[in-house]
Amino acid sequence: MTDAGYDEWLDAVDDGEGYYLRCPEGHGSLPPRRVCPHCGSTDLGRESLPTTGTVETYTVCYVGGPDFEDEEPYATAIADFGDVRLTGVVRGVDPEDVAVGTVVEPTVGTNRTTGDDLLVLRAR
Amino acid sequence: MTGVRVAGVGLTQFGRQPERTGRDLFAEAALAAREESGVPSDDIEELNYGNFMGSLAERQGHQAPLMAEMVGLDCPATRYEEACASAGVAVREAVRSVRSGENDVVLAGGCERMTNLSTADVTEGLATAADELYEIRAGITFPGAYALMARAYFEQYGGDREDLAHVAVKNHDNALPNEYAQFHRAITVDEVLDAPMVSDPVGLLDACPVTDGASALVLVSDEYAADHDLDAPVSITGTGQGGDNLALQDREDLAVTPATERAATEAYADAGRDPDDVDVVEVHDCFTIAEVLALEGLGFYEAGEGIGAARRGETTATGERPVNLSGGLKAKGHPVGATGGSQVVEMTRLLRGDHPNSDHVEDATVGLTHNAGGTVASAVVHVLEVDR
């Protein structure tokens, strides 16, 4: 399946050229968008995604769905990148060593079950 | 604007019934509600039916007219899908329909068949209530999503898994006498803490079960109830609905649920009530942290204060404001598309005095139900009041 907007964004992250969308009010969001999800502005420009973020909250998932059965246990986190947050699987550290405040960089990895690309928050 | 009365209610047993079809489950609940109401079939003008994952679980879309057929109705029938808030929305739209004067009698409720699927397939099905691009592809399950919220809450306000365990213990205790509940087994705080971890910090006993079941209500206008001399002492006096960003990452604060606040604000204003007027509450406790977030969003506690409510005994059956006397989703069960309707059914029985836990709230006049969809990207609140 291809998903216009999302696939291009993931490719950009993979190329080290990650970006997010920013409205004049300063709200950040990820594509695909036609309006800012916070204020409804249609004036969305691209901004470079910071190269590092910090884990704001996380979980270690011991029971995933069928698409993640070869990943268990895996850590999934929401990380703060300034104007925008990213949700991704944390790699580069033992899942049980992930903590609030862990510094991560956005990368693209492969889902071991499906072979699909997925957003990886790689611990620094 | 006419008032809206609950003329009859019906539930199936909640629990594992993988051999029963959704149509069979809903027909049982709906026919029970109709029989209790004394309303003839021909007077039912509309069916509002909640269902979330029937297309996945039963390969059956377009369920509403099928359900009408199963109940012997020849009227417009519409399915409402709002994840776990599906039946809450179905009831709300029924209230709005009666209030508008368009209909005098509406059948509302919902159904979900879940245990015929494997745990993995149910997990995947439920996950579709999250953002497919930015959450499901990142391995988010529903226990996982609520685990993210629980950890954010702990970080922001404090509290721990033991506080949450008291929520589970309380709700299992409440389910013991409820004949419709999935679990009739008391549990201890230590059992909750020692249960296998699903998605840290959400353990197996912090989570509601996978459940089959159906709920139904016959709602009528004040005028219809009076003209037909119906015994319908409970009214729905307030309704509200709120929304929020679908993905957690897009929300300003991960430890609060503004959709609940928005729904509650609207429902309180609609009923002319405030949180202090509410005697008894049914909230959406799909995970123990969800009950805490709900109690704060509904205005019963300040942010950060709700986590100790069960531990302090304030929300237990003998506390000052009992919460989830039905057993809640945690112990009564959570057939997703039926849950919002079942909460209104349980509250009606509690206020009428014919619920096995009614003795705990025998003087109660005002009840509130809260039904949430996904990670509370949607919420529906109803205020119910009884003639005393």
Side-chain angles (χ1 to χ4, degrees), chain B residues 306-386:
Chain B
I307 185 122
R311 193 174 195 163
R312 294 190 297 265
E314 293 157 9
T315 53
T316 57
T318 55
E320 58 201 52
R321 189 191 281 114
V323 174
N324 285 332
L325 281 173
S326 69
L329 285 57
K330 172 71 193 84
K332 185 186 66 178
H334 182 27
V336 174
T339 290
S342 76
Q343 294 174 314
V344 181
V345 169
E346 296 280 11
M347 186 56 70
T348 299
R349 297 169 69 216
L350 284 162
L351 293 175
R352 290 191 314 206
D354 57 16
H355 191 284
N357 278 327
S358 284
D359 288 350
H360 293 296
V361 286
E362 59 185 357
D363 296 326
T365 56
V366 180
L368 179 144
T369 64
H370 161 263
N371 185 201
T375 49
V376 204
S378 48
V380 181
V381 170
H382 285 112
V383 176
L384 282 77
E385 302 190 41
V386 63

Side-chain angles (χ1 to χ4, degrees), chain B residues 273-297:
Chain B
R273 296 290 187 177
D274 63 42
D276 288 341
D277 295 324
V278 176
D279 301 304
V280 54
V281 185
E282 289 284 315
V283 302
H284 197 95
D285 59 323
C286 48
F287 301 95
T288 47
I289 186 66
E291 177 165 314
V292 175
L293 295 171
L295 293 177
E296 295 178 3

Side-chain angles (χ1 to χ4, degrees), chain B residues 22-23 26-27 47 49 58 63-72 111:
Chain B
R23 66 182 88 189
F26 185 72
L47 168 62
Y49 171 77
E58 296 196 281
Q63 289 198 5
L66 172 65
M67 297 305 171
E69 178 185 329
M70 289 298 294
V71 185
C111 176

Side-chain angles (χ1 to χ4, degrees), chain B residues 1-5 46 48 80 88-106 108 219-221 236-242 266 270 380-382:
Chain B
M1 185 173 70
T2 183
V4 181
R5 288 183 176 268
E46 203 168 75
N48 287 5
Y80 290 86
V89 177
V91 170
R92 172 173 158 79
E93 293 306 315
V95 169
R96 285 150 59 102
S97 166
V98 172
R99 282 179 170 182
S100 76
E102 182 149 344
N103 292 303
D104 278 310
V105 185
V106 179
L219 302 181
V220 301
S221 64
I236 299 178
T237 58
T239 181
Q241 183 175 347
E266 184 182 2
D270 193 27
V380 181
V381 170
H382 285 112

Side-chain angles (χ1 to χ4, degrees), chain A residues 24-48:
Chain A
E25 297 289 318
H27 303 130
S29 61
L30 299 177
R33 299 277 178 193
R34 288 171 186 267
V35 302
C36 171
H38 302 285
C39 66
S41 169
T42 56
D43 185 8
L44 299 177
R46 286 190 182 190
E47 296 285 336
S48 293

Side-chain angles (χ1 to χ4, degrees), chain A residues 14-83:
Chain A
D14 197 24
D15 293 340
E17 297 173 356
Y19 61 90
Y20 66 99
L21 305 177
R22 190 174 191 275
C23 75
E25 297 289 318
H27 303 130
S29 61
L30 299 177
R33 299 277 178 193
R34 288 171 186 267
V35 302
C36 171
H38 302 285
C39 66
S41 169
T42 56
D43 185 8
L44 299 177
R46 286 190 182 190
E47 296 285 336
S48 293
L49 192 64
T51 53
T52 60
T54 56
V55 169
E56 189 173 329
T57 186
Y58 68 96
T59 181
V60 181
C61 190
Y62 296 92
V63 184
D67 284 356
F68 277 81
E69 59 185 12
D70 296 331
E71 299 275 343
E72 300 163 5
Y74 60 94
T76 291
I78 298 177
D80 180 2
F81 285 80
D83 289 338

